[in-house]
Amino acid sequence: MSIKILAIESSCDDTSASVIIDAKICSNVVSTQEIHEKYGGVVPEAASRQHQISILPVIKAALDKAGIDKSDLNAIAFTRGPGLLGSLIVGVSFAKSMAMALNIPIIEVHHMKAHVLAHFIEDPIPALPFLCLTVSGGHTQIVKVNKDKSMDILGKTLDDAAGEAFDKTGKMLGLPYPAGPHIDRAAKLGSAKFEFPEPKVDDLNFSFSGLKTAILYFIRDNIKENPKFIDENMNDICASVQARIISILMNKLKKAATQTGIKEISIAGGVSANSGLRKVLTDTGLDLGWNTYIPKFEYCTDNAAMIAMTAHFKYVKGEFAKQDITPAARLPF
Ligand code: KG4
Ligand code: ZN
Protein backbone atom coordinates (compact mmCIF):
# COMPACT_ATOMS: atom_id res chain seq x y z
CA MET A 1 0.00 0.00 0.00
CA SER A 2 1.30 3.45 -0.80
CA ILE A 3 1.55 6.18 1.85
CA LYS A 4 -0.37 9.34 0.97
CA ILE A 5 -0.11 12.27 3.37
CA LEU A 6 -1.56 15.78 3.25
CA ALA A 7 0.59 18.35 5.10
CA ILE A 8 -0.48 21.80 6.26
CA GLU A 9 1.85 24.71 7.14
CA SER A 10 0.41 27.85 8.76
CA SER A 11 3.03 28.98 11.28
CA CYS A 12 3.52 32.54 10.07
CA ASP A 13 2.28 34.41 6.99
CA ASP A 14 2.22 31.68 4.35
CA THR A 15 -0.68 29.25 4.03
CA SER A 16 0.64 26.11 2.42
CA ALA A 17 -0.48 22.55 1.70
CA SER A 18 1.40 19.66 0.14
CA VAL A 19 0.69 16.07 -0.81
CA ILE A 20 3.44 13.48 -0.51
CA ILE A 21 2.99 9.98 -1.94
CA ASP A 22 5.57 7.33 -1.01
CA ALA A 23 8.15 9.97 -0.03
CA LYS A 24 7.69 11.89 -3.31
CA ILE A 25 6.30 15.43 -3.22
CA CYS A 26 3.34 15.57 -5.63
CA SER A 27 2.17 19.11 -4.88
CA ASN A 28 3.29 22.10 -2.84
CA VAL A 29 0.86 25.03 -2.94
CA VAL A 30 1.85 28.24 -1.13
CA SER A 31 -0.34 31.30 -0.68
CA THR A 32 1.75 34.21 0.58
CA GLN A 33 -0.10 36.93 2.47
CA GLU A 34 0.63 40.32 1.00
CA ILE A 35 -1.38 42.24 3.59
CA HIS A 36 1.67 42.54 5.93
CA GLU A 37 3.84 44.36 3.39
CA LYS A 38 2.39 47.78 4.19
CA TYR A 39 2.84 47.31 7.96
CA GLY A 40 6.54 46.49 7.73
CA GLY A 41 6.09 43.17 9.55
CA VAL A 42 3.63 40.35 10.14
CA VAL A 43 0.47 41.44 11.96
CA PRO A 44 -0.56 38.30 13.88
CA GLU A 45 -4.32 38.97 13.93
CA ALA A 46 -4.38 39.69 10.18
CA ALA A 47 -2.30 36.56 9.53
CA SER A 48 -4.74 34.21 11.31
CA ARG A 49 -7.71 35.75 9.51
CA GLN A 50 -6.01 35.32 6.16
CA HIS A 51 -5.12 31.67 6.95
CA GLN A 52 -8.80 31.09 7.68
CA ILE A 53 -9.68 32.43 4.22
CA SER A 54 -6.91 30.65 2.30
CA ILE A 55 -6.70 27.24 3.95
CA LEU A 56 -9.57 25.50 2.14
CA PRO A 57 -8.69 26.61 -1.42
CA VAL A 58 -4.98 25.91 -0.77
CA ILE A 59 -5.70 22.35 0.45
CA LYS A 60 -8.09 21.74 -2.43
CA ALA A 61 -5.45 22.92 -4.92
CA ALA A 62 -2.82 20.66 -3.33
CA LEU A 63 -5.09 17.59 -3.57
CA ASP A 64 -6.12 18.42 -7.16
CA LYS A 65 -2.55 18.99 -8.27
CA ALA A 66 -1.51 15.64 -6.80
CA GLY A 67 -4.47 14.04 -8.60
CA ILE A 68 -5.95 12.45 -5.48
CA ASP A 69 -9.15 12.70 -3.50
CA LYS A 70 -9.24 13.37 0.25
CA SER A 71 -10.62 9.85 0.73
CA ASP A 72 -7.28 8.47 -0.60
CA LEU A 73 -5.30 10.01 2.28
CA ASN A 74 -3.61 7.87 4.95
CA ALA A 75 -2.73 10.71 7.35
CA ILE A 76 -2.78 14.48 7.80
CA ALA A 77 0.27 16.36 9.07
CA PHE A 78 0.52 19.89 10.41
CA THR A 79 3.02 22.35 11.83
CA ARG A 80 2.51 22.34 15.59
CA GLY A 81 5.06 25.11 16.24
CA PRO A 82 7.05 27.20 16.74
CA GLY A 83 5.21 30.13 15.21
CA LEU A 84 2.39 32.61 15.77
CA LEU A 85 -0.26 30.99 17.94
CA GLY A 86 -3.26 32.39 16.06
CA SER A 87 -1.78 31.22 12.76
CA LEU A 88 -0.89 27.76 14.07
CA ILE A 89 -4.39 27.28 15.51
CA VAL A 90 -5.92 27.54 12.04
CA GLY A 91 -3.74 24.79 10.54
CA VAL A 92 -3.81 22.51 13.59
CA SER A 93 -7.59 22.74 14.01
CA PHE A 94 -8.20 22.18 10.33
CA ALA A 95 -5.91 19.13 10.25
CA LYS A 96 -7.52 17.63 13.35
CA SER A 97 -11.08 18.13 12.09
CA MET A 98 -10.33 16.81 8.62
CA ALA A 99 -8.53 13.75 10.00
CA MET A 100 -11.39 13.08 12.40
CA ALA A 101 -13.93 13.27 9.57
CA LEU A 102 -11.83 10.90 7.44
CA ASN A 103 -10.98 8.67 10.41
CA ILE A 104 -7.23 8.79 9.71
CA PRO A 105 -4.26 9.59 11.99
CA ILE A 106 -2.58 12.97 12.46
CA ILE A 107 1.13 13.78 12.56
CA GLU A 108 2.64 16.79 14.35
CA VAL A 109 5.71 18.44 12.84
CA HIS A 110 8.28 20.85 14.30
CA HIS A 111 8.69 23.74 11.85
CA MET A 112 12.46 24.18 12.34
CA LYS A 113 13.19 20.45 12.07
CA ALA A 114 11.15 20.43 8.87
CA HIS A 115 13.32 23.21 7.40
CA VAL A 116 16.32 20.90 7.93
CA LEU A 117 14.59 17.80 6.55
CA ALA A 118 13.69 19.73 3.38
CA HIS A 119 17.07 18.41 2.24
CA PHE A 120 15.53 14.96 1.81
CA ILE A 121 12.97 16.13 -0.75
CA GLU A 122 15.27 16.00 -3.75
CA ASP A 123 18.72 14.75 -4.73
CA PRO A 124 21.47 15.42 -3.88
CA ILE A 125 20.68 14.39 -0.29
CA PRO A 126 23.39 15.04 2.34
CA ALA A 127 25.04 11.97 3.86
CA LEU A 128 24.41 11.53 7.60
CA PRO A 129 25.68 12.99 9.85
CA PHE A 130 25.53 16.50 8.36
CA LEU A 131 25.45 20.09 9.59
CA CYS A 132 22.65 22.48 8.73
CA LEU A 133 22.72 26.24 9.18
CA THR A 134 19.02 27.01 9.55
CA VAL A 135 18.35 30.68 9.00
CA SER A 136 14.82 32.02 9.02
CA GLY A 137 12.78 35.02 10.11
CA GLY A 138 12.55 33.79 13.69
CA HIS A 139 15.51 31.43 14.16
CA THR A 140 19.21 31.05 13.46
CA GLN A 141 20.68 27.68 14.38
CA ILE A 142 23.55 25.38 13.57
CA VAL A 143 22.07 21.89 13.77
CA LYS A 144 23.89 18.56 13.71
CA VAL A 145 21.75 15.90 12.07
CA ASN A 146 22.81 12.52 13.46
CA LYS A 147 22.84 9.12 11.74
CA ASP A 148 19.29 8.38 12.91
CA LYS A 149 18.10 11.86 11.78
CA SER A 150 17.82 13.03 15.40
CA MET A 151 19.11 16.59 15.75
CA ASP A 152 21.29 18.55 18.18
CA ILE A 153 21.53 22.33 18.23
CA LEU A 154 25.24 23.26 18.33
CA GLY A 155 24.68 27.02 18.31
CA LYS A 156 21.88 29.55 18.05
CA THR A 157 21.20 33.25 18.11
CA LEU A 158 21.22 34.97 21.48
CA ASP A 159 18.96 37.77 20.23
CA ASP A 160 17.69 38.55 16.70
CA ALA A 161 17.53 35.98 13.91
CA ALA A 162 19.41 36.44 10.62
CA GLY A 163 16.11 37.02 8.79
CA GLU A 164 15.22 39.71 11.32
CA ALA A 165 18.56 41.41 10.65
CA PHE A 166 17.57 41.61 6.97
CA ASP A 167 13.99 42.66 7.72
CA LYS A 168 14.87 45.31 10.33
CA THR A 169 17.58 46.77 8.11
CA GLY A 170 15.02 46.93 5.31
CA LYS A 171 12.61 48.78 7.54
CA MET A 172 15.30 51.40 8.34
CA LEU A 173 15.94 51.77 4.61
CA GLY A 174 12.22 52.08 3.79
CA LEU A 175 12.02 48.74 1.95
CA PRO A 176 8.83 46.62 2.01
CA TYR A 177 8.46 43.58 4.30
CA PRO A 178 9.95 40.99 4.06
CA ALA A 179 13.07 42.91 3.10
CA GLY A 180 15.40 39.92 2.60
CA PRO A 181 14.69 39.47 -1.12
CA HIS A 182 14.84 43.27 -1.73
CA ILE A 183 18.22 43.58 0.00
CA ASP A 184 19.43 40.52 -1.94
CA ARG A 185 18.51 42.18 -5.27
CA ALA A 186 19.99 45.58 -4.36
CA ALA A 187 23.19 43.98 -2.99
CA LYS A 188 23.90 42.46 -6.41
CA LEU A 189 24.14 46.00 -7.84
CA GLY A 190 26.28 47.46 -5.07
CA SER A 191 29.67 47.00 -3.45
CA ALA A 192 30.29 46.21 0.22
CA LYS A 193 32.20 49.41 0.87
CA PHE A 194 30.76 50.27 4.29
CA GLU A 195 32.20 48.49 7.34
CA PHE A 196 29.85 47.05 9.94
CA PRO A 197 31.18 45.31 13.06
CA GLU A 198 31.42 41.55 13.47
CA PRO A 199 30.15 40.69 16.99
CA LYS A 200 32.31 38.71 19.39
CA VAL A 201 30.12 35.89 20.63
CA ASP A 202 31.39 32.75 22.36
CA ASP A 203 31.07 29.22 21.08
CA LEU A 204 28.86 28.61 18.07
CA ASN A 205 26.22 31.15 19.05
CA PHE A 206 25.19 34.22 17.08
CA SER A 207 24.17 37.78 17.84
CA PHE A 208 22.64 40.27 15.42
CA SER A 209 21.37 43.02 17.73
CA GLY A 210 24.70 44.90 17.76
CA LEU A 211 24.72 44.95 13.98
CA LYS A 212 21.18 46.35 14.00
CA THR A 213 22.23 49.20 16.31
CA ALA A 214 25.36 49.89 14.25
CA ILE A 215 23.25 50.18 11.09
CA LEU A 216 20.77 52.47 12.85
CA TYR A 217 23.54 54.87 13.99
CA PHE A 218 25.28 54.66 10.62
CA ILE A 219 22.11 55.69 8.78
CA ARG A 220 21.22 58.37 11.34
CA ASP A 221 24.70 59.97 11.24
CA ASN A 222 24.93 59.95 7.46
CA ILE A 223 21.43 61.35 6.96
CA LYS A 224 22.42 64.31 9.17
CA GLU A 225 25.16 65.13 6.66
CA ASN A 226 23.18 64.27 3.55
CA PRO A 227 19.38 63.82 3.68
CA LYS A 228 19.51 61.83 0.41
CA PHE A 229 22.14 59.40 1.78
CA ILE A 230 19.91 56.31 1.64
CA ASP A 231 18.66 56.91 -1.90
CA GLU A 232 22.13 57.66 -3.20
CA ASN A 233 23.75 54.65 -1.50
CA MET A 234 20.99 52.04 -1.31
CA ASN A 235 22.80 49.32 -3.27
CA ASP A 236 26.10 49.77 -1.42
CA ILE A 237 24.39 49.82 1.99
CA CYS A 238 22.52 46.61 1.12
CA ALA A 239 25.70 44.95 -0.19
CA SER A 240 27.60 45.94 2.97
CA VAL A 241 24.92 44.75 5.40
CA GLN A 242 24.41 41.50 3.49
CA ALA A 243 28.15 40.82 3.37
CA ARG A 244 28.41 41.25 7.14
CA ILE A 245 25.39 39.02 7.87
CA ILE A 246 26.92 36.35 5.61
CA SER A 247 30.35 36.60 7.26
CA ILE A 248 28.79 36.26 10.74
CA LEU A 249 26.94 33.12 9.61
CA MET A 250 29.82 31.58 7.68
CA ASN A 251 32.46 32.11 10.39
CA LYS A 252 30.38 30.12 12.86
CA LEU A 253 29.55 27.46 10.31
CA LYS A 254 33.27 27.00 9.53
CA LYS A 255 33.97 26.74 13.26
CA ALA A 256 31.24 24.09 13.63
CA ALA A 257 32.66 22.11 10.70
CA THR A 258 36.15 22.20 12.22
CA GLN A 259 34.93 21.24 15.70
CA THR A 260 32.82 18.30 14.52
CA GLY A 261 35.00 17.21 11.60
CA ILE A 262 31.84 17.05 9.47
CA LYS A 263 32.20 18.04 5.82
CA GLU A 264 28.58 17.53 4.73
CA ILE A 265 27.30 21.10 5.09
CA SER A 266 23.87 22.47 4.28
CA ILE A 267 21.76 25.58 4.70
CA ALA A 268 17.99 25.87 5.11
CA GLY A 269 15.23 28.35 5.97
CA GLY A 270 14.09 31.56 4.32
CA VAL A 271 17.48 33.29 4.42
CA SER A 272 19.05 30.32 2.57
CA ALA A 273 17.25 31.78 -0.47
CA ASN A 274 19.81 34.61 -0.35
CA SER A 275 21.95 34.51 -3.49
CA GLY A 276 25.00 35.95 -1.70
CA LEU A 277 24.87 33.30 1.05
CA ARG A 278 24.32 30.53 -1.53
CA LYS A 279 27.39 31.65 -3.46
CA VAL A 280 29.64 32.06 -0.42
CA LEU A 281 28.62 28.62 0.88
CA THR A 282 29.42 27.02 -2.48
CA ASP A 283 32.78 28.82 -2.75
CA THR A 284 33.73 27.99 0.85
CA GLY A 285 32.80 24.36 0.21
CA LEU A 286 35.14 24.24 -2.78
CA ASP A 287 37.92 25.82 -0.71
CA LEU A 288 37.54 23.57 2.33
CA GLY A 289 36.55 20.30 0.66
CA TRP A 290 32.96 20.33 1.93
CA ASN A 291 30.03 18.78 0.11
CA THR A 292 27.48 21.61 0.22
CA TYR A 293 23.70 21.35 -0.04
CA ILE A 294 21.28 24.17 -0.78
CA PRO A 295 17.54 23.52 -1.05
CA LYS A 296 15.66 24.49 -4.18
CA PHE A 297 14.32 28.02 -3.82
CA GLU A 298 10.71 26.94 -3.11
CA TYR A 299 11.87 24.68 -0.27
CA CYS A 300 13.87 27.47 1.46
CA THR A 301 11.05 29.82 2.48
CA ASP A 302 8.03 28.45 4.34
CA ASN A 303 6.33 25.61 2.50
CA ALA A 304 4.26 22.52 3.32
CA ALA A 305 6.48 20.17 1.27
CA MET A 306 9.05 20.17 4.09
CA ILE A 307 6.25 19.39 6.57
CA ALA A 308 5.13 16.55 4.31
CA MET A 309 8.66 15.13 4.04
CA THR A 310 9.09 15.15 7.82
CA ALA A 311 5.63 13.62 8.24
CA HIS A 312 6.54 10.77 5.89
CA PHE A 313 9.48 9.81 8.12
CA LYS A 314 7.21 9.94 11.17
CA TYR A 315 4.49 7.88 9.46
CA VAL A 316 6.98 5.11 8.68
CA LYS A 317 8.02 5.05 12.34
CA GLY A 318 4.37 5.08 13.50
CA GLU A 319 4.77 8.41 15.30
CA PHE A 320 1.22 9.75 15.37
CA ALA A 321 -0.26 12.52 17.53
CA LYS A 322 -3.35 12.31 19.73
CA GLN A 323 -6.52 14.22 18.82
CA ASP A 324 -6.20 16.43 21.93
CA ILE A 325 -2.91 17.93 20.72
CA THR A 326 -2.66 21.74 20.75
CA PRO A 327 -0.34 24.14 18.88
CA ALA A 328 2.71 25.49 20.71
CA ALA A 329 4.09 28.92 19.80
CA ARG A 330 7.41 28.10 21.51
CA LEU A 331 7.58 24.38 20.78
CA PRO A 332 10.92 23.08 22.17
CA PHE A 333 13.31 21.69 19.55
O1 KG4 B 1 11.76 30.42 6.76
P1 KG4 B 1 10.96 31.64 6.46
O2 KG4 B 1 10.21 31.69 5.16
O3 KG4 B 1 9.92 31.93 7.61
C1 KG4 B 1 10.21 31.71 8.95
O4 KG4 B 1 10.12 30.54 9.39
O5 KG4 B 1 10.60 32.72 9.58
O6 KG4 B 1 11.98 32.87 6.55
C2 KG4 B 1 11.55 34.18 6.31
C3 KG4 B 1 12.76 35.08 6.33
C4 KG4 B 1 12.43 36.57 6.28
O7 KG4 B 1 13.17 37.22 7.30
C5 KG4 B 1 12.92 36.99 4.89
O8 KG4 B 1 13.35 38.34 4.82
C6 KG4 B 1 14.05 36.04 4.67
O9 KG4 B 1 13.60 34.82 5.19
N1 KG4 B 1 14.39 35.89 3.25
C7 KG4 B 1 15.56 36.31 2.73
C8 KG4 B 1 15.51 36.05 1.34
N2 KG4 B 1 14.30 35.47 1.07
C9 KG4 B 1 13.63 35.38 2.26
N3 KG4 B 1 16.64 36.88 3.31
C10 KG4 B 1 17.67 37.21 2.52
N4 KG4 B 1 17.68 37.01 1.18
C11 KG4 B 1 16.64 36.43 0.56
N5 KG4 B 1 16.67 36.23 -0.77
ZN1 ZN C 1 10.24 28.90 8.41
Side-chain angles (χ1 to χ4, degrees), residues 14-83:
D14 295 302
T15 318
S16 181
S18 169
V19 171
I20 186 166
I21 302 178
D22 293 333
K24 189 174 171 296
I25 296 296
C26 298
S27 62
N28 178 40
V29 179
V30 184
S31 166
T32 300
Q33 305 178 355
E34 267 143 35
I35 181 165
H36 310 289
E37 222 180 272
K38 61 179 180 228
Y39 298 111
V42 176
V43 182
E45 173 75 18
S48 5
R49 284 169 190 239
Q50 194 56 48
H51 283 304
Q52 196 74 44
I53 294 166
S54 306
I55 195 156
L56 194 56
V58 165
I59 287 174
K60 201 170 172 317
L63 289 169
D64 288 351
K65 212 163 172 200
I68 64 163
D69 186 74
K70 59 183 182 305
S71 59
D72 299 324
L73 291 169
N74 301 103
I76 299 183
F78 56 86
T79 303
R80 184 182 177 205

Side-chain angles (χ1 to χ4, degrees), residues 9 40 73 125 127 134 140 187 224 244 251 253 262 276 282-283 288 328:
E9 155 64 36
L73 291 169
I125 293 169
T134 321
T140 300
K224 264 191 217 148
R244 179 50 78 213
N251 285 339
L253 191 55
I262 294 174
T282 308
D283 292 349
L288 301 179

Side-chain angles (χ1 to χ4, degrees), residues 294-317:
I294 303 174
K296 242 165 93 178
F297 189 76
E298 62 258 46
Y299 302 137
C300 289
T301 46
D302 285 349
N303 66 89
M306 66 186 195
I307 308 300
M309 191 69 243
T310 310
H312 175 84
F313 294 135
K314 290 190 127 191
Y315 186 100
V316 171
K317 288 203 262 172

Side-chain angles (χ1 to χ4, degrees), residues 14 111 115 136-138 163-164 166-167 178-181 184 269-271 273-275 300-302:
D14 295 302
H111 182 87
H115 268 303
S136 73
E164 266 175 299
F166 275 103
D167 296 336
D184 191 349
V271 179
N274 184 268
S275 55
C300 289
T301 46
D302 285 349

Side-chain angles (χ1 to χ4, degrees), residues 194-213:
F194 303 117
E195 265 294 318
F196 294 107
E198 173 126 12
K200 290 188 177 44
V201 185
D202 287 345
D203 308 321
L204 296 173
N205 294 323
F206 302 91
S207 167
F208 288 98
S209 68
L211 176 62
K212 181 180 64 187
T213 313

